[in-house]
């Protein structure tokens, strides 16, 4: 029956910055949805979302919510995923989880379809969507790795506030206004809701995303480092990250240095590899001031790559600038693409 009418789909966190984009993306890409179940906390239960022109009442997410659900897209934070993802799987659903709850579990595929779609075949009910900053980086670097090998990545990020949720977007705009009006600033969320101190994001740059770990890296930085090795199936790849939050609504940018495995590769060779790569748009024409920018990437599906330069000291070193919409390719779109891949591989119809 479902083959013809589509699937029974739940979106957990449907009122959130990512959840809203999941609903939009399922509709825009015409994923076959037989029924849509928007779930949230008690706070938003009873409110309505619009899906394909129809108003649907949001329900509180409970274990029983998942009876009859075939596909559940989770984006309501790690604790919600830990409490409910297995409940959904127990009831027959496949879970695509946007949180960091299960990403490094050995029995959970961590998937960017352009890079490692086949890993989906090994799933045990839960599939993890990588961190937003990881996704756009591996999507751009995998074609280079395939062609020339990859030894090392050093990345610095310039991340938008929408990655930290709807409340963080509001905090940035409120503070911007407070600065302009000469008022005292409200500082409640950024750099990260779960930490002790909160700093101004308006007109600032904050070198902290997520909490600090004992080794001095933030968890966001470690996510990029560990997830990249897992997705590329290469424990010997050297990866180091510095993650910074900027007062940008949406669109993460990354300055990336790579060392490839071949000598005598040129910028033109990298252009040739990237210009036909799936999900990548090359924007690299310095003579005409063409390069990717966050404001241009907003609401776009692709990952944008430019500023490609050969290192002047290291023949096998290259510098790139990689930009994507963190709520789309970084989160909702990648999850919906995973859903399409599951369908293509016949994994949703079991
Ligand atoms: P957000 O705008 O703050 O939205 C949070 C959503 O979670 C809301 O829909 C909220 O519902 C729901 N929620 C909160 N507590 C809940 C509970 N106990 N039970 C059910 N639903 C609950 O956050 P967001 O930016 O959309 O991000 C949500 C999560 O997605 C993040 O915590 C993170 O784990 C993940 N994420 C991943 C990436 C990535 O890199 N791939 C990027 C961004 C976010 P109410 O309306 O009822 O409060
Ligand atoms: N703290 O799902 O704050 O790993 O931008 C994504 C984004 C965690 C995640 C952020 C975060 C994730 C953020």
């Amino acid at each position: 029956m479902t083959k013809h009418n589509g699937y029974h789909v739940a979106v957990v966190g449907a009122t959130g910055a990512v959840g809203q984009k999941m609903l939009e993306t399922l509709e825009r890409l015409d994923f076959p949805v037989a029924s849509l179940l928007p779930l949230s906390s008690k706070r938003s239960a009873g409110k309505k979302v619009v899906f394909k022109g129809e108003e649907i009442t949001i329900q509180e997410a409970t274990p029983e919510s998942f009876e009859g659900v075939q596909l559940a897209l989770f984006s309501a934070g790690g604790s919600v995923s830990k409490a409910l993802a297995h409940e959904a799987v127990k009831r027959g659903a496949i879970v695509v989880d946007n949180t960091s709850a299960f990403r490094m579990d050995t029995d959970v595929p961590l998937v960017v379809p352009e890079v490692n779609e086949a890993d989906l075949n090994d799933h045990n009910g839960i599939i993890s969507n990588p961190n937003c900053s990881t996704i756009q980086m591996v999507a751009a670097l995998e074609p280079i790795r395939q062609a020339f090998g990859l030894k090392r990545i050093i990345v610095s990020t310039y991340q938008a506030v929408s990655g930290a949720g709807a409340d963080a977007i509001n905090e940035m705009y409120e503070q911007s206004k407070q600065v302009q009006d000469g008022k005292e600033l409200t500082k409640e969320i950024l750099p990260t809701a779960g930490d002790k101190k909160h700093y101004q994001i308006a007109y600032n740059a904050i070198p902290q995303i997520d909490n600090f770990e004992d080794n001095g890296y933030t968890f966001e930085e470690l996510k990029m480092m560990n997830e990249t090795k897992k997705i590329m199936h290469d424990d010997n790849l050297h990866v180091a990250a510095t993650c910074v939050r900027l007062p940008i609504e949406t669109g993460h940018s990354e300055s990336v240095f790579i060392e490839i495995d071949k000598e005598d590769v040129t910028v033109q060779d990298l252009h040739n590899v990237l210009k036909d790569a799936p999900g990548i748009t090359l924007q690299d024409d310095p003579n005409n001031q063409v390069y990717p920018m966050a404001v241009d990437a907003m609401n776009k599906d692709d990952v944008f790559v430019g500023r490609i330069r050969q290192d002047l000291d290291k023949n096998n070193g290259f510098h790139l600038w990689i930009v994507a919409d963190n709520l789309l390719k970084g989160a909702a779109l990648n999850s919906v693409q995973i859903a399409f891949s599951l369908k293509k591989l016949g994994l949703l119809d079991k």
Side-chain angles (χ1 to χ4, degrees):
M1 65 151 188
T2 53
K3 278 190 183 123
H4 304 291
N5 300 326
Y7 303 92
H8 300 294
V9 180
V11 173
V12 187
T15 53
V18 176
Q20 283 291 311
K21 290 286 177 184
M22 284 175 163
L23 299 180
E24 276 174 40
T25 306
L26 286 166
E27 178 171 344
R28 179 167 61 87
L29 300 186
D30 211 14
F31 187 80
V33 177
S35 70
L36 182 93
L37 177 61
L39 300 171
S40 72
S41 79
K42 222 186 224 130
R43 290 181 295 275
S44 293
K47 290 186 189 162
K48 290 185 162 60
V49 295
V50 178
F51 183 72
K52 296 191 176 176
E54 196 191 324
E55 280 202 332
I56 307 175
T57 304
I58 300 170
Q59 296 179 27
E60 182 186 355
T62 66
E64 294 72 36
S65 306
F66 299 96
E67 296 291 346
V69 169
Q70 294 168 293
L71 174 70
L73 307 182
F74 273 70
S75 192
S79 57
V80 175
S81 292
K82 282 180 186 149
L84 291 177
H86 290 104
E87 297 292 339
V89 172
K90 223 194 281 175
R91 289 167 175 80
I94 294 188
V95 167
V96 179
D97 182 39
N98 238 286
T99 78
S100 57
F102 312 112
R103 285 181 191 147
M104 295 311 295
D105 292 6
T106 46
D107 62 343
V108 173
L110 181 65
V111 175
V112 178
E114 296 93 325
V115 178
N116 62 335
E117 183 180 60
D119 288 355
L120 291 172
N121 289 307
D122 300 327
H123 85 85
N124 296 294
I126 299 177
I127 292 122
S128 280
N129 191 83
N131 176 264
C132 38
S133 302
T134 309
I135 293 174
Q136 67 183 67
M137 184 172 81
V138 299
L141 296 188
E142 178 65 10
I144 297 170
R145 193 178 81 91
Q146 290 287 337
F148 310 116
L150 195 57
K151 295 204 294 199
R152 159 167 239 166
I153 305 171
I154 299 174
V155 53
S156 295
T157 70
Y158 305 67
Q159 296 186 220
V161 291
S162 59
D167 293 343
I169 302 176
N170 292 336
E171 181 169 90
M172 178 189 73
Y173 283 117
E174 211 173 292
Q175 287 180 1
S176 306
K177 187 153 191 317
Q178 288 163 338
V179 169
Q180 290 174 39
D181 295 347
K183 297 240 176 75
E184 204 187 321
L185 300 195
T186 315
K187 292 177 271 191
E188 288 168 351
I189 296 159
L190 293 163
T192 180
D195 215 340
K196 297 173 288 295
K197 292 186 186 172
H198 299 292
Y199 299 122
Q200 168 181 350
I201 185 62
Y203 306 96
N204 200 7
I206 305 180
Q208 181 191 353
I209 298 182
D210 219 324
N211 292 309
F212 279 96
E213 302 287 314
D214 289 340
N215 60 10
Y217 287 83
T218 62
F219 189 44
E220 184 81 352
E221 290 161 351
L222 290 178
K223 282 181 274 184
M224 287 194 80
M225 293 152 68
N226 294 328
E227 293 177 17
T228 298
K229 294 178 198 199
K230 174 166 174 174
I231 296 164
M232 290 182 161
H233 296 280
D234 184 359
D235 285 336
N236 295 319
L237 182 63
H238 291 194
V239 192
T242 302
C243 292
V244 180
R245 185 87 65 191
L246 293 187
I248 292 166
E249 183 180 320
T250 294
H252 287 356
S253 304
E254 300 177 340
S255 170
V256 181
F257 171 73
I258 56 170
E259 277 177 41
I260 59 173
D261 222 353
K262 272 212 174 88
E263 303 288 333
D264 304 322
V265 171
T266 65
V267 168
Q268 189 57 52
D269 293 330
L270 295 196
H271 277 192
N272 288 340
V273 162
L274 287 171
K275 73 176 172 8
D276 300 320
I280 303 294
T281 297
L282 187 63
Q283 284 184 331
D284 197 8
D285 182 5
N287 289 328
N288 290 301
Q289 286 177 277
V290 173
Y291 37 72
M293 288 190 281
V295 290
D296 298 326
M298 193 170 171
N299 294 319
K300 303 265 170 49
D301 285 347
D302 269 9
V303 174
F304 298 88
V305 187
R307 296 295 325 275
I308 303 177
R309 288 148 290 152
Q310 190 155 30
D311 192 80
L312 296 182
D313 296 311
K314 236 179 191 311
N315 185 271
N316 67 333
F318 289 88
H319 302 265
L320 308 89
W321 181 248
I322 302 172
V323 181
D325 184 318
N326 52 295
L327 297 179
L328 287 177
K329 188 56 184 169
L333 171 66
N334 198 66
S335 292
V336 173
Q337 287 172 332
I338 289 172
F340 274 107
S341 294
L342 287 167
K343 176 174 177 287
K344 185 180 85 181
L345 296 171
L347 297 168
L348 274 183
D349 297 292
K350 285 191 175 149

